[in-house]
Each structure stands twice: as C-alpha cells, then as structure tokens.
Amino acid sequence: MKVAVVGLGTEGKNAVKSLINYGYKVYASDMQKNMELDCNTAVDIDLGYHDFEKINSADAVVLSPSLWSSKIGEKIRSSKKFLSDILPDHKTVFTIGVTGTNGKTTTCFMIREILENAGFNVLVGGNAGGGFEGYTKLILESSKQKYDVLVVEVCDMTLDFCSYAFDFDLVVVTNMGQDHMDFHNSLENYKDSISKFIKEKTAILNEQDQILAQMGNYPSKTLFFGNGHRDLKLFGQYNLQNAAAAAKVAQFLEIPENNIDEALKNFEGVKGRSATLNISGCNFVVGKTDNSNATSAVLNELKFDVVMVGTPRGKEACRYDILKEVSEANPESVVLFPGLEDTTDIAFERLKKEGYNGDIKIIKDMPTILDFAIECSEKYQNIFIGGNGQNKLIEIQKALQRVSKDDIVIRNKKVLIIGAGNAGRPAAHLLNHLGNEVIISDIKEFEELPKKAKIKIKELMDKGVAVELGSHMNEHAMWADIVFISPSVPKKAAIREFIGECEENYEIDEINTKDIGRMINSLIKIPMIGIAGTDGKTTTTNMVNYTLSDKYDTLLFSSLQNSLVIEGLVDFVVENKMKSKDFAVFELPHGTIRMVDGLEICLGILTNLTPDHMDEFNSYEEYVKRNISIKDLLHKNGILIVNGDDPIISKLAPKFDQEVIYYGFDEPRDIVHDDMIYSHTLDVKYDILAEDIELKGLYGSEFTIKTGRIPTVICENCGKMCCNCDDFRRKYRESCTMRVKLKVPGMCNVENALAVFASDIILDFDLEDIKDKIESFQGVNGRFEKIDTVNEVNIFMDAAHNPEAMERLLEGMNVEGKLIITIDNPDTLTTRDKFKAGHALKKYVDVVIASAKNETTEQIDMDAALEVVEGAKGLETYTTKNIVDAIIKALEIADNGDTIIHIGPGVVNAYKQVKSDIIDGIIAYRKK
C-alpha cells in the first residue's frame, strides 16, 4: 500500500518514519522548499508544492494537523482516504484522550501504569510534539495488534484533527493555561476549542482549574478530579493533580482503589518530565516546563537558588512568558541555554525587561551546562532545570541521574567507543574490563595510527574488544546501549549527528570523559595530586612524588615515565593494584587534562600559563581555559596551589570557588604574545614566599621560605584527608620561616620547590621532613641533567623549549666561562616562535648552536635553525643538521671552564634519542 503524507511538520515527519517502519511505500510533500527529511529509506518527496496526482493515486493519505481546516484538508476528508478511514481498527478499541496545557504526558503514563497493573493491554502515544511518535504510529500499531485500551495524548492544536481520527470513549482535560496562544490567539478561543472537543463525550475535568470547573455542561457526562492525596515519588503539587486525573480514569473503569494506590506509589515518572535528584546534598528538579503555567507550577513549590532555562523558538512569543515567572521567583542566578533554538540573546533581553537583577549566564554547549550544574550543587541547596527543549532536558536529566547514583560504574551493557585515540582507548579498556561488550571505531586505518596507538589497539583486541578501523558504522550506534565519543572527534562529524538521531529514537545513553573519570575515581579511591601549567610540571610532579615517598607508596604518572594518566589509571584498575598504592601524583599536560575530567584530586598545582602549543588552540585564552580546568577536578574540600607571579593566574585565581594558595617571589611578570602584553595588575597576597635567594650557578641555590597561616586538606574532626564527613572543619598550619638549600640549579627550580613546599604543608607534613626531602632532591632526567665533563667543560641537557621556560632556566645562572647553548628545532607537531626563542637566549648566553632536526617528526628543517639564530643575532651563532653535530661544534669552540647546555622539546618527546645523540657527539669529538 502506498500512503501520501501531506505536510512535513513534526507530525508529518514522524508519520513518514512510522509508515516506512511498518513497510508502506511513501510519497511526502510540503510547501516549504528548505525542509529536511532524515530517513534511511528512499522516499518520493516534493518540496515547494504538493503533487495532487501522486496524492490522489495513493491508497491512503496522512494530513498534517496544521492543514486540517485548509482546502486541501477538506478535499482529503471528502475523499475518505484519510489513513484513519482506510485503517479503522483503532476505532474499535476503548480510547482515552488526554489533553490540556500541562501534565498530559505524565497523566497518560500514569493511566497506563494503573491499567497495565490491572491486567489491561494498553497502547499509549500520540502528540509527537510531546515526545511520542505521533498519531499515525497509533493507527498503524492498532491495525497490527489487538489492545484493550488506547491512550492518546492530544495536543491542544490538534483537537479537530483528533476528533475525526479517533473515537474517544473518555476524555481527560488536565488544565487550561497560556500556551500556544500564537495558535489560539486568545484563552477564550482555546476554551471554545476544548468545549467543542468534549461536547457529548464522557469527560474528566480538573475542578481546580477555574475555566474547566465551569464546563460541566458540555460533555454528556462529567467527572471532576481535585488535587488528590496520593503517595508519589514525583515532585510537586501538579503531579498530585496528574495522579488524581489518572485515578479518576481508573475509578471510571472500576479498578480497585488499592490497585490504583499501589501503581501510583511505584510510578517512576516520565523521561524528560520533572524528576527530582540529589547530588552532593543539593536538590535538582529537572524537566520540561515550556509555558508560563508549567514554569510557575514548579517555581511555586520551592525556593530555587539557581534556575536554568532552555529557550523557545524565536517565533513562539508567548513562551517567553516563562521568563516573567523566573524573574518573579528571583533566584540568585539564571542560566539560559538553547532549548529548541539558540534564542538566548532574546531571552536575556526579556529577562532584563522583566526586572531581574541577579546573575545571568548564557551557556550554549551541553558539557558546560552539565559541569556548571554539578558545580552549583556544591554551593546551593535547590536547582531547577527546565523550560523548552525536551531532548536536551532528557539528556541533562539522564546525565545528572548517572551522577546522583552511588554506583556510577557501567556494567553488562553494549558500548560503542567513537575514536581510538588517547581518550577512546582507555575508555574501551576500562569498560571491557567491567564486563561490557565493547566496539571501538576510528576513521583512521590501522597503518595511519601512531606507533603507541597500534600497540594499544592490538592489546585491546587480545582482550576481546571489537575494533573497526577506517570508518564509523551507523549500525553500531543502533546496536549500542551506551556511546562514548572522544573529545577529538569533530563537533560536526557525521557520526555525531547520527548518534544524536539515535538518542532520540532508541534507548541510548551518551557518556563522556567525565563519566570515565568518575568511574575510575570510584574504583581506585586513593588521594590524588595533579600538576598543570606550561613549564615546570614534570620537575614539580617528580619532586612532589619524592617528598611523599617516605610516607606513601605512590603511583606516579609524568612525561618522564611516558605515562598517559588516564591510560595508566585504567591499567592500574584492570591489573587490580588498588590495594598496593595509597597515593597518586600525576602531571596534567594540556592534552591530558581534558581526559581526566571526573577524577577528584585533593590538591592541584598550577605552575604558570605562558603561551605554548598555540597552533592547537584558537586563542591564548582557549589555551588558558584548558589548563585552569584543573580547578574543576578538586574535591569540594581540596586546595589549589598557584603561582602568584604569573599575570594570567593572578587575575583568574580570585574568581575560583576553591581555596587558593599563592606562592612566588613577589616579582610579578609580564607575558607577551602576539604583540599583546599581559601585565600583572592585581595585588596578590602571597601565602608562601621565597626571599634572600642566593643562586650558586650549577650547584643549586639557597633561599628562605616564609609562610602565612596555611589551610590544610585535613579535617580536624575526623583527621582524614579531604573527607566527606558532615562536619568538615579545616585544619590550619601556623606561619613559619625556613632556610632551604636546593641542589638543582636555576630560579625555575626555586619556583618549583615553593610549589612542592606548599603541597607538603597542605598535606600537614612535618617541617623538618619537608626540608630534608626538598634538600636531598637530585633532580629528574632531562631537567638540568648532567651528561658528562670533557676537558673541564660541563655538559647538561634540559627540556626548556619555549622562550619563557628558557628564561626561567637561565635567569641568574652564573658560570665561570662561556655559556654555550645547543638547541634542537623548537617545533614538534606544534609550530613555535623560533625567532622569539633565539631572542630570549640572547639575554643570557654567549653562544647559540641551532640544530635543524625536529626530534618529534625526525625531519630536517634548516629554516627553523636559521630562524633561531636570527633571533639571537649579535651573539656567536651556528647552525647544524642535528644534535650530534651541534655537540661536536660546541666542544670545538669551548674552553676549559665553559658550560654547554642542550635544550629543546626533544628532551621531552624523544629523551632517550636526544641523550644518545649528545653522548654520540661527545664520543665523536673525543675520537678526533
């Protein structure tokens, strides 16, 4: 049979999908030319006109409800080819229609719950705008299978349409309010439509509604319901009314009262409708409230500290009235997000016009909405998330439900991982270990993957993970219960769009890095410290770990260990080593930090925020935002340690909600990037200072540490670290002064030592123990590491690879003879400012020898070497093809007492190779 679908609004599109799924041939048309129809099967479609020859030749016609009163609607009705005429089986079933402004969907599902528990075979559906699959689906399903009762949600804009399509034995009207006024034009017109709809039917009406209470004469028989006093799991007085309506239907059908009570008591609610959750002691109410009456019904129940509102379509003027209700509720903060359309700017102006003077935020992407909601749960008691955009509200609701559960670990599901990169692989490994059936796919072929990724992929395959490379299969998304999309997958990737459609049509949950992090966090349950920033991360991470090593058996992840944090933590879980370690310390580079979202650290350190990896970001501000996201990993009682001399950090840290500790020299710096000068303009109150610094060249330094009163992460009541006891009372350390002798040279290491001292004080370590550990620290591989001495010339290597790091390394470094720098190509996969690097070296050194080899890509780029020496113009400079030649040249020009330091990103990315090249250069020189 061929069916014509005339009009492709929400109902029309859903009709096309349903007809195809039931095996019908479809012709579809709409007067709009720019209409999109997503469908897996080819459909004969005309846009911009209706082909009446095709419509007349069809066996049946589905008409958009919006065209019901039009001439084409009259013509189709007169032809008796309307689908409900051709397939009339549904009209033989006892049919209940539920209409009204608010509460329709919940009431429909409550009716179904009661009737199914009483043994009835019930089909529920209808209004596609309300989240069902449309009226056509009900007609088709009723023609295939026998049901005892049909429950139809009837949109108030489709009353005439539904009166023709269905034979209602019973009608429920939940309430009447200000919605769809752009369709009805007035409440009086809406009343007339309802009056016509219920005329000569048996009707159940809300006696609490002023309009409906006066309409008892229209139906052939009228039953009224009130507020009801049922025992419900659901929030709000309005749900008591919905329950009363459902109960009245059940009473009409002579279902025993105890059966009604039991069914309503166990009713869990409807996806996307108001649900209550509790996170960190904060009450969340989440659900669609797309008109003023629905919004006021929720806001009148409780005083909300934060209200988050999904915005309506631009043309739906009446729905902006919800903002009046929000303004009158006067929450402390309002968040606007795109609900049905991105009309947040219109909503912002309307909110201001209504006189709201609180804090207004506009958040447009879903991860940030969720992060902000969870962040608010730490500070506020009641939060409401509603408004327009049912699909987005369902997504928010499901995500928060996962967070609110004590057990957030996913088990025994079918999981699809999109992207086999540094986020996807550990996600696949963890979820496979937890007993899930896992498929991981990547757009790259195996040969295109990096060497490390190839090894890991093979390991996953050996563990039973199915791997699909070279493409993403849509069928896998339809198969999955859970989908994880790696952050590196482009926002507009076709697979993302397809998964979005699947989430609407199937029971699929999408998880992200935060969910993976939370699972890991719940499984390992040991305290953690994270170190982020541009320079000094590796040394600080290893020095922190060294100072902890006497007290704790630590788990360490840093670039020295070549360990990706998230991959290492997953290995730790999978290998069941949780009982063998009692503290974790990890370095968080900018690429890693977004993959550990969801972990909970007791301490965070932010070393500095100088520009680096700029070609990976749209702006310096975006790079900064990525790095400061370490604050989002902190436990609610955790502490953030930051460099007070850094101009970017000093401006941002006062806005952080966490406890913040400042360390530094009280020598504020400026940062120059893209001809912009970022100045240190704030008056920072330093908690930990280094004073009276004596730099001893290659032999370290000596300085005095002075502190104020320092907060710890220890609870005075229970003595635990970052505890969750109901009465956390922070322990404090009194001010102190200490003279420290540091073995590792350079001002940069004085700075690193201050951050480490701060972390140890915050962990409540003994002062003398802290001093002993810091003073005995020998440094780390690749960070001012001594390689050899040749003819009284000392040779070192260091990982400084951007101008700011070079200045920190060399500042105050007094040596006996000449200071000779050999530098590998500053570029990696990131392109850096080579001229600026050479210019920075010019301030501190005597000779610069630039190697042309990019140690990451292994390509020779003489232009890069020339750019470095151009920046160092005025010094004695040389270029070489590689590090071996650079070291030979340095030794050839060196005199007794000179110092050679090799620097560059190769020390990080290719440590063993660079060190080997330096040694090979020394050997080659000695052989001459």
Side-chain angles (χ1 to χ4, degrees):
M1 189 166 87
K2 184 176 181 180
V3 181
V5 178
V6 181
L8 293 173
T10 303
E11 285 289 341
K13 289 179 178 179
N14 276 37
V16 171
K17 291 180 182 179
S18 295
L19 287 162
I20 289 171
N21 289 339
Y22 278 83
Y24 291 95
K25 294 181 179 180
V26 178
Y27 164 71
S29 63
D30 195 280
M31 291 302 292
Q32 290 190 42
K33 293 182 179 180
N34 298 322
M35 180 70 62
E36 290 186 8
L37 183 63
D38 297 323
C39 195
N40 293 331
T41 304
V43 175
D44 183 6
I45 182 169
D46 288 321
L47 297 177
Y49 66 97
H50 302 297
D51 188 328
F52 286 96
E53 195 171 314
K54 293 179 181 178
I55 295 170
N56 293 333
S57 67
D59 299 299
V61 181
V62 172
L63 182 70
S64 170
S66 63
L67 298 174
W68 187 253
S69 300
S70 66
K71 289 183 179 180
I72 190 174
E74 293 174 10
K75 185 176 180 180
I76 291 169
R77 290 201 304 276
S78 65
S79 70
K80 294 295 181 180
K81 290 174 67 174
F82 193 54
L83 186 67
S84 65
D85 299 318
I86 304 300
L87 299 176
D89 289 351
H90 63 288
K91 294 186 178 182
T92 65
V93 183
F94 186 89
T95 303
I96 303 168
V98 181
T99 191
T101 302
N102 299 308
K104 297 186 294 296
T105 307
T106 299
T107 302
C108 283
F109 277 100
M110 284 179 165
I111 292 169
R112 186 181 73 173
E113 185 89 0
I114 298 169
L115 298 188
E116 286 187 340
N117 284 359
F120 289 92
N121 186 15
V122 183
L123 176 62
V124 62
N127 172 28
F132 290 111
E133 294 180 53
Y135 302 119
T136 299
K137 172 71 180 294
L138 289 176
I139 295 170
L140 295 172
E141 179 63 19
S142 297
S143 71
K144 295 291 184 183
Q145 187 174 333
K146 295 294 183 182
Y147 290 91
D148 301 318
V149 179
L150 187 60
V151 181
V152 185
E153 178 181 319
V154 179
C155 173
D156 56 272
M157 295 188 293
T158 65
L159 296 171
D160 290 342
F161 173 93
C162 288
S163 289
Y164 183 91
F166 300 94
D167 285 345
F168 292 107
D169 299 283
L170 186 64
V171 172
V172 178
V173 187
T174 58
N175 45 61
M176 290 184 62
Q178 299 284 340
D179 194 16
H180 300 139
M181 287 300 111
D182 48 348
F183 175 83
H184 297 296
N185 294 320
S186 69
L187 197 57
E188 190 64 29
N189 287 346
Y190 181 18
K191 176 186 173 183
D192 291 343
S193 296
I194 289 289
S195 301
K196 181 182 174 183
F197 182 67
I198 64 176
K199 189 175 182 179
E200 297 180 358
K201 296 183 178 76
T202 299
I204 294 175
L205 307 179
N206 186 347
E207 68 181 5
Q208 302 295 315
D209 187 287
Q210 292 182 359
I211 298 174
L212 292 175
Q214 300 171 17
M215 295 179 68
N217 295 327
Y218 290 92
S220 61
K221 182 178 181 180
T222 307
L223 302 170
F224 284 103
F225 65 90
N227 284 334
H229 301 285
R230 303 282 173 176
D231 182 7
L232 297 181
K233 294 181 178 181
L234 306 187
F235 169 84
Q237 185 69 31
Y238 51 89
N239 274 316
L240 288 174
Q241 287 192 6
N242 296 334
K248 189 63 70 174
V249 170
Q251 290 162 2
F252 178 82
L253 295 174
E254 299 181 349
I255 293 173
E257 197 68 25
N258 62 326
N259 289 8
I260 299 172
D261 286 339
E262 187 67 22
L264 291 173
K265 181 180 179 180
N266 294 322
F267 184 67
E268 297 285 350
V270 181
K271 185 170 65 174
R273 274 30 180 204
S274 293
T276 53
L277 308 164
N278 189 282
I279 300 173
S280 302
C282 175
N283 299 308
F284 279 85
V285 177
V286 188
K288 187 180 80 165
T289 55
D290 57 4
N291 60 72
S292 59
N293 296 89
T295 303
S296 64
V298 175
L299 296 180
N300 288 336
E301 294 279 349
L302 199 61
K303 174 61 179 172
F304 290 97
D305 305 294
V306 178
V307 174
M308 304 176 71
V309 182
T311 58
R313 296 182 181 91
K315 64 182 181 181
E316 297 175 329
C318 64
R319 290 195 169 182
Y320 288 92
D321 291 344
I322 62 177
L323 298 169
K324 180 180 180 181
E325 304 298 333
V326 172
S327 179
E328 290 179 357
N330 196 30
E332 187 172 325
S333 180
V334 174
V335 175
L336 302 171
F337 63 90
L340 296 170
E341 287 181 1
D342 185 2
T343 53
T344 50
D345 53 342
I346 301 172
F348 181 90
E349 293 302 323
R350 178 63 183 270
L351 202 52
K352 285 291 188 182
K353 184 179 178 182
E354 294 294 346
Y356 178 71
N357 294 316
D359 179 44
I360 305 175
K361 288 182 171 61
I362 293 176
I363 304 178
K364 297 193 178 185
D365 63 289
M366 190 58 64
T368 308
I369 292 168
L370 293 170
D371 288 348
F372 183 79
I374 294 167
E375 184 181 321
C376 285
S377 70
E378 301 286 349
K379 299 185 289 183
Y380 298 112
Q381 188 169 356
N382 300 308
I383 298 170
F384 172 55
I385 307 176
N388 291 259
Q390 178 167 270
N391 289 336
K392 287 192 176 180
L393 289 164
I394 288 172
E395 187 177 343
I396 292 170
Q397 196 177 90
K398 289 197 295 187
L400 292 177
Q401 282 170 339
R402 287 197 299 271
V403 176
S404 67
K405 292 177 182 176
D406 292 332
D407 182 12
I408 60 172
V409 176
I410 295 170
R411 301 179 191 273
N412 304 316
K413 300 288 185 182
K414 292 182 286 189
V415 182
L416 173 62
I417 308 290
I418 302 296
N422 290 341
R425 293 193 310 272
H429 193 189
L430 176 67
L431 289 163
N432 178 69
H433 168 72
L434 293 171
N436 299 286
E437 188 178 350
V438 179
I439 297 174
I440 184 169
S441 70
D442 198 283
I443 203 71
K444 291 182 179 179
E445 298 285 359
F446 185 78
E447 293 73 21
E448 299 176 84
L449 296 175
K451 183 178 179 180
K452 180 181 177 182
K454 290 178 181 177
I455 295 170
K456 292 292 183 181
I457 286 292
K458 287 180 178 178
E459 290 176 358
L460 289 175
M461 293 173 71
D462 291 341
K463 293 178 184 294
V465 174
V467 177
E468 180 75 40
L469 298 176
S471 66
H472 299 300
M473 305 292 287
N474 289 349
E475 290 81 359
H476 293 159
M478 298 168 68
W479 161 86
D481 302 313
I482 305 284
V483 176
F484 172 90
I485 305 179
S486 300
S488 58
V489 176
K491 297 295 182 186
K492 294 186 178 180
I495 189 64
R496 279 190 186 271
E497 294 179 9
F498 185 80
I499 287 170
E501 293 172 16
C502 288
E503 287 178 306
E504 293 180 20
N505 298 313
Y506 305 95
E507 285 294 323
I508 297 176
D509 285 341
E510 185 176 334
I511 62 173
N512 54 34
T513 52
K514 179 163 281 189
D515 297 296
I516 299 298
R518 288 196 186 101
M519 278 190 273
I520 294 170
N521 202 65
S522 70
L523 291 167
I524 61 176
K525 295 180 180 177
I526 59 175
M528 292 177 269
I529 296 176
I531 295 91
T534 307
D535 303 312
K537 295 186 298 296
T538 303
T539 298
T540 304
T541 299
N542 283 270
M543 194 186 294
V544 166
N545 184 71
Y546 178 73
T547 62
L548 296 179
S549 59
D550 286 349
K551 292 181 175 290
Y552 300 102
D553 189 354
T554 59
L555 184 64
L556 173 66
F557 301 110
S558 82
S559 58
L560 278 185
Q561 288 73 35
N562 194 29
S563 298
L564 179 67
V565 173
I566 199 72
E567 209 148 45
L569 286 173
V570 169
D571 289 343
F572 181 64
V573 170
V574 171
E575 293 165 14
N576 197 27
K577 295 180 179 178
M578 280 84 80
K579 294 179 181 179
S580 67
K581 302 290 181 182
D582 41 32
F583 218 117
V585 184
F586 40 76
E587 179 181 344
L588 294 173
H590 70 279
T592 300
I593 200 166
R594 67 177 177 175
M595 288 183 251
V596 296
D597 199 10
L599 288 183
E600 198 171 68
I601 61 178
C602 63
L603 273 181
I605 298 174
L606 193 54
T607 60
N608 45 66
L609 289 172
T610 54
D612 200 8
H613 302 281
M614 286 299 99
D615 55 347
E616 297 178 37
F617 295 88
N618 294 320
S619 65
Y620 182 28
E621 287 70 24
E622 189 178 298
Y623 172 74
V624 167
K625 184 178 179 181
R626 173 75 65 79
N627 279 277
I628 66 170
S629 62
I630 188 174
K631 67 182 176 58
D632 301 324
L633 304 179
L634 281 176
H635 182 278
K636 63 182 178 181
N637 298 321
I639 294 176
L640 187 62
I641 302 166
V642 302
N643 186 337
D645 292 335
D646 186 283
I648 307 296
I649 293 175
S650 69
K651 288 180 181 178
L652 293 174
K655 300 176 184 178
F656 295 167
D657 296 324
Q658 296 82 359
E659 186 93 45
V660 177
I661 295 296
Y662 292 91
Y663 70 90
F665 306 137
D666 196 7
E667 294 178 0
R669 303 188 185 97
D670 290 342
I671 290 175
V672 180
H673 176 65
D674 280 351
D675 299 324
M676 284 280 294
I677 299 176
Y678 298 85
S679 297
H680 194 297
T681 57
L682 297 181
D683 184 18
V684 171
K685 182 184 177 184
Y686 290 85
D687 300 284
I688 298 177
L689 272 171
E691 297 182 342
D692 303 325
I693 301 169
E694 298 178 30
L695 293 174
K696 299 182 178 180
L698 304 177
Y699 304 100
S701 61
E702 189 172 341
F703 54 95
T704 298
I705 297 178
K706 288 187 176 180
T707 80
R709 187 169 181 258
I710 305 295
T712 74
V713 291
I714 308 300
C715 175
E716 276 197 341
N717 287 328
C718 67
K720 294 182 179 178
M721 193 183 305
C722 283
C723 73
N724 290 306
C725 74
D726 294 333
D727 189 22
F728 177 80
R729 188 178 302 168
R730 197 180 294 283
K731 181 179 179 180
Y732 282 81
R733 293 286 295 265
E734 296 306 319
S735 59
C736 68
T737 301
M738 176 185 290
R739 191 72 178 168
V740 174
K741 295 179 180 178
L742 197 62
K743 290 183 178 179
V744 286
M747 285 293 282
C748 57
N749 281 314
V750 176
E751 199 169 58
N752 296 335
L754 285 178
V756 175
F757 182 88
S759 70
D760 289 352
I761 284 286
I762 289 167
L763 292 172
D764 202 29
F765 286 5
D766 179 78
L767 278 176
E768 288 303 315
D769 288 344
I770 299 172
K771 177 180 169 69
D772 288 346
K773 294 300 285 186
I774 289 177
E775 290 190 334
S776 61
F777 181 67
Q778 300 285 341
V780 298
N781 292 343
R783 272 61 178 177
F784 214 85
E785 177 184 355
K786 187 169 183 179
I787 306 300
D788 204 345
T789 300
V790 179
N791 299 333
E792 299 183 31
V793 176
N794 290 315
I795 305 168
F796 298 85
M797 65 187 293
D798 190 85
H801 56 273
N802 61 58
E804 291 77 14
M806 295 171 192
E807 291 190 11
R808 281 195 177 87
L809 171 71
L810 300 171
E811 186 180 356
M813 186 172 289
N814 297 316
V815 295
E816 293 179 15
K818 296 192 300 291
L819 180 54
I820 302 170
I821 292 293
T822 63
I823 177 172
D824 54 61
N825 184 338
D827 292 338
T828 52
L829 295 176
T830 291
T831 302
R832 294 186 173 85
D833 190 332
K834 276 77 69 178
F835 180 90
K836 190 176 179 182
H839 193 70
L841 293 173
K842 185 176 178 179
K843 302 177 189 177
Y844 302 101
V845 309
D846 301 291
V847 181
V848 172
I849 304 171
S851 164
K853 187 179 178 182
N854 183 319
E855 296 298 328
T856 301
T857 65
E858 299 187 344
Q859 300 297 310
I860 303 294
D861 182 1
M862 289 305 300
D863 289 339
L866 290 169
E867 211 173 316
V868 172
V869 300
E870 180 64 23
K873 194 172 183 178
L875 294 183
E876 183 180 347
T877 59
Y878 303 89
T879 60
T880 64
K881 283 188 177 181
N882 53 49
I883 293 173
V884 174
D885 292 346
I887 295 299
I888 294 170
K889 185 64 179 179
L891 287 167
E892 285 175 348
I893 64 173
D895 299 318
N896 290 359
D898 289 351
T899 300
I900 299 170
I901 308 175
H902 179 79
I903 63 174
V907 181
V908 180
N909 299 329
Y911 169 76
K912 290 182 180 178
Q913 184 60 53
V914 170
K915 185 172 181 178
S916 175
D917 286 347
I918 294 171
I919 294 170
D920 286 348
I922 293 169
I923 293 170
Y925 172 78
R926 283 177 168 151
K927 286 181 178 179
K928 284 191 172 184

